[in-house]
Amino acid sequence: MDNFENFSSSDKAEAAELQRMIAIEQQKAQFQAQVHTFTDVCWDKCVDSPGSKLDNRTETCLVSCVERFIDTTLTITNRFTQMVQKGAH
């Protein structure tokens, strides 16, 4: 879809805008998938029996679990980015 030679300038602009909007929607979907994943993982790990209110231990566990999940995801993402950049040089 990057081949826009036969498009008019307005068609090119529309195609570029569409690609930008698709990329944004893909990022939103990835973010939502991440949230869903760590919600599932951390809920299973930390919540013994749901109640009307979280106790202190459960809340602390959930916060720690989410922070570890985010840190791990960022570390993996950064490492992958470094590998891609090394491959591009």
Side-chain angles (χ1 to χ4, degrees), residues 32-50:
Q32 289 173 335
Q34 285 290 90
V35 169
H36 180 76
T37 300
F38 69 68
T39 298
D40 282 349
V41 168
C42 295
W43 181 268
D44 291 343
K45 178 177 175 37
C46 298
V47 179
D48 297 326
S49 58

Side-chain angles (χ1 to χ4, degrees), residues 25-89:
E25 290 304 314
Q26 287 173 330
Q27 289 174 340
K28 287 180 188 178
Q30 288 173 336
F31 177 76
Q32 289 173 335
Q34 285 290 90
V35 169
H36 180 76
T37 300
F38 69 68
T39 298
D40 282 349
V41 168
C42 295
W43 181 268
D44 291 343
K45 178 177 175 37
C46 298
V47 179
D48 297 326
S49 58
S52 60
K53 186 175 157 180
L54 294 177
D55 61 26
N56 191 38
R57 182 199 67 78
T58 303
E59 186 175 346
T60 300
C61 180
L62 286 169
V63 168
S64 295
C65 181
V66 170
E67 287 176 351
R68 276 195 319 271
F69 193 91
I70 291 170
D71 288 344
T72 302
T73 300
L74 288 174
T75 299
I76 291 168
T77 302
N78 289 337
R79 179 68 179 126
F80 181 71
T81 301
Q82 290 172 354
M83 290 170 56
V84 168
Q85 288 173 345
K86 282 184 180 179
H89 290 127

